[in-house]
Amino acid sequence: MIKNTVTCCAASYGISSCQGPRVVMSGKEVILLCSNNYLGLAEHPGARSGCPRCPGALRCGVRRVASHLGNMDLHEELEQRIAGFKGAEAAILFNSGYAANTGAIPAIAEERDVILSDELNHASIIDGCRLSRARTVVYRHRDPDHVESLLKEHAACRRKLIVTDGVFSMDGDIAPLPDLALLAERYDAMLMVDDAHGTGILGKRGRGTVEHFGLEGRVHIQMGTWARPLAPSAPTWRATAG
């Protein structure tokens, strides 16, 4: 009998070794049967030397999508540090802001739900709303009164999601987050903020629009990226408040 075999769906585990027929996962050596490392090139010295600042055992990556094979320990450490930075319960990495919004919004809302979206929201939010198949209702730009009337109108929906940019990239104005947070609490809705243009800019510690308004713990989901103020090119993440 083969013991300690990994076949699929290892996303909840961290890999702390280079990829080969056997890997170390959560501190235990297991046989790996779900990798795309068909030719064994992950262990090739040329591939492993490509990132000289990373520990030798971690230079090769996981060689498959995270939903199948999980993350490296470094990924999970980074997610934990992002969650700490944002004061959130947890965080998850995406490879772009577009991927974050089109991945997260459909995971939150579906056909029985309603999404209230600012009319000047980023295109990635709009596409995420479309992919969710939830009923999407566009509210007037930065207009909490309109949001409240729509929440009343759709009170019977299973789940209500208010989604807005924190800082709107074209005009540079800021969403009225205190009003939106109050409405979300009053009408049992979720509040999601795309803070790609606020992180690193607003707040005493650069934590974005939520910190800027002192709303820690009152915004359910924040999306952010390092590609704007913090680095020329970097991953995108999404943090959840609970």
Side-chain angles (χ1 to χ4, degrees):
M1 178 181 294
I2 298 177
K3 296 182 179 180
N4 299 337
T5 301
V6 177
T7 55
C8 64
C9 298
S12 60
Y13 300 95
I15 298 173
S16 56
S17 67
C18 192
Q19 175 132 174
R22 296 174 181 269
V23 297
V24 177
M25 183 174 287
S26 298
K28 182 170 62 177
E29 186 179 81
V30 297
I31 298 172
L32 184 65
L33 300 178
C34 58
S35 167
N36 288 343
N37 183 31
Y38 301 145
L39 302 180
L41 294 179
E43 303 114 86
H44 190 281
R48 296 180 64 180
S49 64
C51 183
R53 289 182 294 176
C54 293
L58 300 178
R59 292 176 189 165
C60 58
V62 296
R63 292 300 184 268
R64 195 163 186 185
V65 295
S67 60
H68 288 167
L69 193 50
N71 294 319
M72 304 298 290
D73 283 352
L74 291 177
H75 294 136
E76 298 188 356
E77 180 184 349
L78 178 57
E79 289 175 342
Q80 292 170 4
R81 295 182 69 173
I82 290 169
F85 171 68
K86 279 287 185 175
E89 180 180 345
I92 184 170
L93 290 170
F94 291 82
N95 66 342
S96 70
Y98 185 88
N101 283 334
T102 57
I105 294 174
I108 300 167
E110 55 185 39
E111 291 185 42
R112 295 175 291 169
D113 306 325
V114 64
I115 302 173
L116 308 184
S117 177
D118 190 288
E119 65 181 351
L120 295 188
N121 274 343
H122 190 269
S124 60
I125 295 176
I126 296 171
D127 284 351
C129 294
R130 289 170 175 165
L131 288 170
S132 74
R133 298 187 179 181
R135 180 174 183 181
T136 301
V137 182
V138 177
Y139 63 85
R140 292 187 294 270
H141 181 50
R142 301 179 70 252
D143 189 341
D145 291 336
H146 192 200
V147 173
E148 183 168 23
S149 67
L150 293 173
L151 286 170
K152 292 178 179 178
E153 181 180 342
H154 296 88
C157 290
R158 186 195 67 148
R159 178 175 293 160
K160 300 173 284 292
L161 172 65
I162 305 168
V163 58
T164 180
D165 279 330
V167 176
F168 292 88
S169 59
M170 300 305 293
D171 296 334
D173 48 356
I174 303 175
L177 285 190
D179 294 329
L180 296 179
L182 182 63
L183 291 172
E185 293 164 354
R186 182 180 299 165
Y187 293 95
D188 193 26
M190 298 181 68
L191 177 58
M192 172 179 157
V193 178
D194 180 335
D195 215 18
H197 298 276
T199 301
I201 302 297
L202 296 178
K204 291 182 178 180
R205 294 172 292 272
R207 296 178 180 177
T209 53
V210 173
E211 184 187 43
H212 174 71
F213 287 112
L215 296 173
E216 291 88 345
R218 297 180 62 191
V219 175
H220 298 86
I221 303 162
Q222 301 177 60
M223 189 277 276
T225 176
W226 292 311
R228 271 81 178 181
L230 303 181
S233 179
T236 298
W237 42 264
R238 185 170 298 281
T240 57

